[in-house]
Amino acid sequence: MGKNTIVLSKAPKGSFVFIDDSDQEFILLKEAMEELGLKNKLRHFNNGQEAFLFLKRTKEAIFLILSDVNMPAMDGLQLKRLIDLTPEIKIKAIPFIFHSQSASPAEVRAAYSCNIQGYVQKASNLEGTVESLYRIVAMWTNCIHPRDL
């Protein structure tokens, strides 16, 4: 998928929350968003604890959460469980997708036990990241969401 070959039928509404302790992954995602022409705010947090504090206090509309599983302070599984126990965040019905290098069967099962909306293995290059992000965004822009009702 080269530059300007992908067009989304709808623009996503809201910010993207990206939770990953790798600055390299953040840069790759930011470049993929630019290649797809996405102008949404991109909020980056290095661990689940930082992201939880943001989600608890923000009034921003959040389009989706893309989180690594393994991080310091609070990992992605702990974060998702905490979100589900926090009514003021859970009510927002923010799609939560794991984006991780690891895809062991045990880790994938543990992730889906947390009622996530997807588990995507990280791509190793920009082209793969663009394709993966395109598929995620296309899916969630076409879903009926409670915030739009």
Side-chain angles (χ1 to χ4, degrees):
M1 299 196 157
K3 200 159 188 73
N4 299 323
T5 60
I6 303 172
V7 177
L8 290 162
S9 59
K10 289 188 209 175
K13 297 177 187 172
S15 300
F16 285 64
V17 172
F18 182 63
I19 311 158
D20 197 308
D21 58 330
S22 167
D23 289 337
Q24 203 77 8
E25 292 294 334
F26 172 67
I27 291 166
L28 196 58
L29 183 68
K30 191 174 179 181
E31 289 174 2
M33 286 182 71
E34 288 171 8
E35 185 149 332
L36 288 170
L38 298 172
K39 307 260 190 256
N40 306 66
K41 279 186 188 171
L42 176 58
R43 302 291 189 171
H44 178 220
F45 302 95
N46 290 308
N47 61 62
Q49 192 171 31
E50 292 174 2
F52 179 76
L53 292 173
F54 170 77
L55 292 167
K56 193 161 167 82
R57 70 174 183 264
T58 190
K59 301 289 185 223
E60 252 177 63
I62 307 297
F63 176 66
L64 65 81
I65 297 169
L66 196 57
S67 177
D68 195 3
V69 175
N70 301 305
M71 296 172 288
M74 180 188 292
D75 69 29
L77 295 169
Q78 293 167 316
L79 171 62
K80 180 59 170 111
R81 289 183 188 115
L82 190 55
I83 286 171
D84 288 345
L85 293 171
T86 309
E88 64 267 30
I89 302 174
K90 186 177 180 180
I91 193 76
K92 296 176 184 180
I94 304 166
F96 192 106
I97 300 161
F98 277 117
H99 185 248
S100 185
Q101 287 290 71
S102 172
S104 73
E107 199 167 82
V108 172
R109 279 189 206 78
Y112 276 101
S113 76
C114 294
N115 297 314
I116 61 168
Q117 286 67 52
Y119 194 110
V120 177
Q121 198 162 16
K122 290 178 184 176
S124 59
N125 58 32
L126 179 59
E127 184 177 331
T129 302
V130 168
E131 183 174 341
S132 180
L133 184 61
Y134 170 79
R135 291 174 193 275
I136 292 167
V137 172
M139 162 64 186
W140 290 105
T141 54
N142 287 307
C143 281
I144 298 169
H145 194 276
R147 75 173 166 259
D148 300 329
L149 301 176

